[in-house]
Amino acid sequence: MTIWMIARGAGLSALILLTAATCLGALVSGRTATRPDTRVLLQYAHRVTASLGLAVLGLHLTMILADSFAHVGWMGALIPFTSGYRGLWVGLGSIAAYTFLLVAVIGFARGRLTGSARATAAWRAVHGAGYGAWALAMLHGLRSGTDSGVAWVRWIYLACLVAVIGSVAARAVVAASPGRFRAVDGVAR
Amino acid sequence: MTLEIDWTRCDGHGLCAALLPDRISRDEWGFPVLHGTKLPPDTAVRRAVAACPALALRLTRT
Amino acid sequence: MTTTMGRLAADPASATWTIGAARVLAGLDRNAVLDARTHLDTHGPLPAADLGRLLGLLDASGLTGRGGAGFPLAAKLRALRGQRPTVVVNGSESEPASVKDRVLLRRTPHLVLDGALAVAVALRGRRVTVAVHDAAAAAAVRTAAAQRPDGNRVRVELVSGGFVAGEARALVRALDGGPALPPGRREHATDHGVLLANAETFAQLAVLIRLGRHRFADTGTRTEPGTTLLTVGGAVGRPGVVELPLGTPLGIVLAAAQAGQPRLVVAGGYHGSWHPAVPAIELSRSGLAAAGGTLGAGVLLVLDDSTCALGELARVTAWLAAESAGQCGPCRFGLPALARDVQALCQGHPGAAEIALRHARAVDGRGACRHPDGTARFVTSALHLLQDETYLHLHHGGCGRPVLGLLPIGGRP
């Protein structure tokens, strides 16, 4: 029973951490903060929450596999939509995990990838798949999570939703202001 | 290793100068000024390359 | 003087003359346009040349690109050996004071095509693309291509764009269907399987193939044999496109161009440099390098005491700033700042010259292309030379001369 509780707690914790990583990612790329020092700190926070989130996600997966009563199994966890238990919603969780992993890997390799013109040009679009992974993770949690009916858990989901929508909106507002060189515009004119 | 700036990408965010203050300063418009481009491939330099929001910095072998 | 410059700008095909024997410009004294027959009568048939022979000729003559960068043509051929490249003739000539390439393409297009097709044949390239910015040159090259059996390999592209769009890599991108902007990474046209050279370079190659290495070296200097084309303008009685042996002293060109009281020259175009009109300056790559300048795009503009040199500088700097493609920050912000500094200097603001020099240093080498570097060189060389004028503008409210616009900007044909 303890394993099952750890699995549930890890799932929720991973969602919270990866939500924070998503929000920080939106804020750091959207130039909502302008001071370079602040943005460096935001970047670190983005990387730390993302790494922790992935680690806790690993724990979530391990515990699900370890729990013989969960009826998910290796196949169900690793191959989307093959789980006996809520196949569709567990499958979405698997896809979210793979996507987060891909996004983290190219995030980690960011500095090295600037060696290639094509990788540099594609980087932002590919890394942006993290937003999709976050949305899938939310659906996965809501529909296959045992605790989704609990009131305070529902509040957490709502807070996650509001946080990401707010960060993305803040980014979109900055991105909509005209022209390139926004970061230096104040200085230059 | 040589540190290079893709000027068509650089928007003058200034993170590189914040991370490598003794190697990179900023001009009056906020764009980076490199003090020598030949650099050892140490952690601080790699960190600055990875931090650039515009992916405008790169290290090349030369 | 302004009227002669104006006439030249309106009709670049008007005047050509030579110092010494005409090679590239041969036949243009008797014919408005050399068609296939007059071309053959003038130059004779083009001997066949495989890659080995071309490389031998190019190595012996050291023929370099005549568009400004001065890269050896032999190195481009070697880089593309076995790749069957597209050969691109860069006839965009975005330098506003230069008309030499347009004159070649409009009046002796077969000579340019001879050189380009010879390279295409030697490298087994499929096609020759001639990229031009003006319709008259495009029409002339199309007409010429239709007159020759190998003309079906020639394609003419009328590309648009400003100063920076004529840069080799920007042109290659535009021909690929991309934006006419220089890329942000160090790469060459050869990396794209393209052999690109300026129109005059191919014309010089056609001359070299016909003459052979020894006769080609009959004129010019030992290290830079042959001739070069210069577009001569400004305060001269005979503006136009001039062919002269490399190494000809400036004084001879000034006398032949009927420059009355030459005081200053701008050599190489607007990425070039300002010099006092010293007759001994040798007009060659090494000669101008020794004088701290560059032959650049083959432009020689003469200024006398009739015009305000600082005002001329301010006009051109403002134009160069406006021609920034705006994709690189230091150029986008630095060149307008530089233009304001030079304007302030004209208006006698103390300290403006120092700020201008600082801004010129601030933009140098900090862009995807050489536009900021070239502009910095142009302004810096002028400011070092124009210290008397600067003094007059600073302490006497100006030099008392009007700005005649002897350095042409915009209004290109």
Side-chain angles (χ1 to χ4, degrees):
Chain A
M1 215 50 206
T2 326
I3 294 178
W4 183 234
M5 284 177 67
I6 295 176
R8 282 148 61 200
L12 196 60
S13 309
L15 183 70
I16 294 170
L17 284 163
L18 291 170
T19 298
T22 307
C23 294
L24 289 163
L27 292 176
V28 77
S29 65
R31 269 166 270 188
T32 30
T34 46
R35 289 196 48 224
D37 300 341
T38 319
R39 296 185 59 184
V40 168
L41 286 178
L42 278 178
Q43 272 191 357
Y44 283 146
H46 169 64
R47 286 168 196 175
V48 167
T49 49
S51 309
L52 278 176
L54 279 179
V56 177
L57 183 59
L59 182 67
H60 172 64
L61 182 68
T62 317
M63 291 298 119
I64 294 281
L65 291 176
D67 190 289
S68 46
F69 297 102
H71 300 294
V72 174
W74 285 97
M75 277 271 289
L78 297 182
I79 303 169
F81 313 122
T82 56
S83 162
Y85 170 77
R86 300 195 185 176
L88 172 64
W89 305 109
V90 168
L92 291 187
S94 310
I95 295 175
Y98 286 133
T99 311
F100 273 130
L101 194 64
L102 167 79
V103 166
V105 166
I106 77 148
F108 181 74
R110 184 184 159 91
R112 246 150 295 187
L113 290 175
T114 59
S116 142
R118 199 172 295 171
T120 304
W123 189 88
R124 200 166 292 284
V126 178
H127 199 65
Y131 291 115
W134 171 82
L136 292 181
M138 285 282 282
L139 285 174
H140 159 77
L142 271 171
R143 301 308 300 268
S144 54
T146 330
D147 308 305
S148 299
V150 182
W152 64 268
V153 175
R154 288 186 164 241
W155 281 112
I156 288 179
Y157 277 101
L158 186 65
C160 287
L161 186 68
V162 169
V164 169
I165 289 177
S167 313
V168 170
R171 175 183 182 169
V173 167
V174 182
S177 76
R180 245 184 85 200
F181 303 125
R182 282 182 294 266
V184 299
D185 256 4
V187 197
R189 265 169 267 177
Chain B
M1 301 292 267
T2 306
L3 190 60
E4 289 181 342
I5 299 171
D6 183 336
W7 288 109
T8 65
R9 298 193 71 91
C10 174
D11 290 352
H13 294 281
L15 273 70
C16 54
L19 284 166
L20 285 175
D22 44 346
R23 294 188 192 280
I24 302 177
S25 57
R26 297 174 83 186
D27 64 17
E28 62 187 89
W29 306 287
F31 298 103
V33 180
L34 304 182
H35 309 301
T37 54
K38 298 282 174 206
L39 298 173
D42 61 18
T43 326
V45 175
R46 291 194 190 286
R47 201 174 286 159
V49 169
C52 176
L55 293 113
L57 272 180
R58 60 181 182 271
L59 270 174
T60 55
R61 234 176 283 277
T62 30
Chain C
M1 291 309 148
T2 41
T3 51
T4 48
M5 196 63 228
R7 210 171 59 229
L8 174 67
D11 181 18
S14 58
T16 58
W17 46 279
T18 58
I19 295 175
R23 287 180 169 184
V24 170
L25 297 184
L28 293 186
D29 50 342
R30 296 182 304 275
N31 303 281
V33 177
L34 295 188
D35 60 15
R37 234 200 63 212
T38 42
H39 171 70
L40 265 183
D41 290 348
T42 306
H43 292 281
L46 187 74
D50 59 11
L51 183 58
R53 182 164 136 75
L54 275 193
L55 287 174
L57 289 168
L58 288 171
D59 285 336
S61 67
L63 184 64
T64 52
R66 299 295 168 87
F71 196 73
L73 186 58
K76 292 185 187 176
L77 261 66
R78 285 205 170 86
L80 288 162
R81 199 192 326 231
Q83 291 187 39
R84 312 193 66 179
T86 299
V87 174
V88 175
V89 179
N90 187 356
S92 51
E93 197 166 51
S94 41
E95 180 81 40
S98 179
V99 292
K100 63 169 177 95
D101 292 318
R102 255 160 297 178
V103 164
L104 290 179
L105 291 168
R106 288 182 191 185
R107 298 188 57 194
T108 181
H110 284 285
L111 194 63
V112 179
L113 291 180
D114 278 352
L117 285 162
V119 170
V121 168
L123 288 171
R124 302 178 60 226
R126 289 171 195 84
R127 205 176 347 211
V128 168
T129 300
V130 184
V132 293
H133 275 190
D134 69 311
V141 177
R142 285 200 183 99
T143 306
Q147 290 171 350
R148 47 196 295 157
D150 51 0
N152 56 349
R153 305 172 76 165
V154 177
R155 203 176 47 159
V156 179
E157 291 276 354
L158 193 57
V159 292
S160 57
F163 197 31
V164 169
E167 198 250 4
R169 301 166 309 155
L171 179 61
V172 170
R173 277 179 104 189
L175 291 175
D176 271 351
L181 294 169
R185 285 163 189 265
R186 270 187 298 149
E187 55 177 54
H188 292 288
T190 47
D191 300 335
H192 294 261
V194 169
L195 187 133
L196 179 141
N198 164 268
E200 185 196 338
T201 314
F202 288 114
Q204 292 282 2
L205 175 64
V207 168
L208 173 63
I209 295 172
R210 285 190 170 90
L211 291 181
R213 51 190 288 189
H214 297 295
R215 281 174 60 208
F216 187 81
D218 279 350
T219 191
T221 70
R222 201 172 55 78
T223 50
E224 297 172 58
T227 66
T228 190
L229 293 184
L230 287 184
T231 309
V232 178
V236 293
R238 270 176 96 194
V241 175
V242 185
E243 181 171 17
L244 64 155
L246 279 158
T248 304
L250 175 63
I252 290 182
V253 180
L254 291 177
Q258 297 166 9
Q261 305 251 288
R263 205 166 63 83
L264 304 162
V265 295
V266 172
Y270 296 155
H271 283 174
S273 50
W274 292 57
H275 301 269
V278 176
I281 294 177
E282 263 192 21
L283 295 173
S284 63
R285 284 159 50 78
S286 56
L288 273 159
T294 164
L295 204 51
V299 172
L300 187 71
L301 295 166
V302 182
L303 296 180
D304 58 12
D305 273 333
S306 66
T307 189
C308 167
L310 271 183
E312 299 279 350
L313 174 68
R315 276 179 83 232
V316 175
T317 311
W319 182 83
L320 287 165
E323 286 295 309
S324 167
Q327 59 168 356
C328 308
C331 184
R332 158 81 176 71
F333 294 104
L335 295 200
L338 192 55
R340 283 193 297 273
D341 300 339
V342 178
Q343 191 57 46
L345 187 61
C346 285
Q347 291 158 357
H349 290 286
E354 287 71 28
I355 301 174
L357 289 172
R358 186 162 57 77
H359 280 149
R361 272 195 305 277
V363 299
D364 189 23
R366 297 176 69 220
C369 72
R370 297 285 176 200
H371 187 50
D373 316 29
T375 303
R377 173 169 50 213
F378 183 77
V379 174
T380 305
S381 67
L383 291 181
H384 285 313
L385 201 57
L386 301 179
Q387 295 189 0
D388 292 353
E389 279 87 346
T390 303
Y391 182 85
L392 289 175
H393 280 256
L394 205 57
H395 299 289
H396 299 274
C399 57
R401 300 173 197 133
V403 182
L404 294 180
L406 292 185
L407 305 185
I409 51 171
R412 286 174 267 141

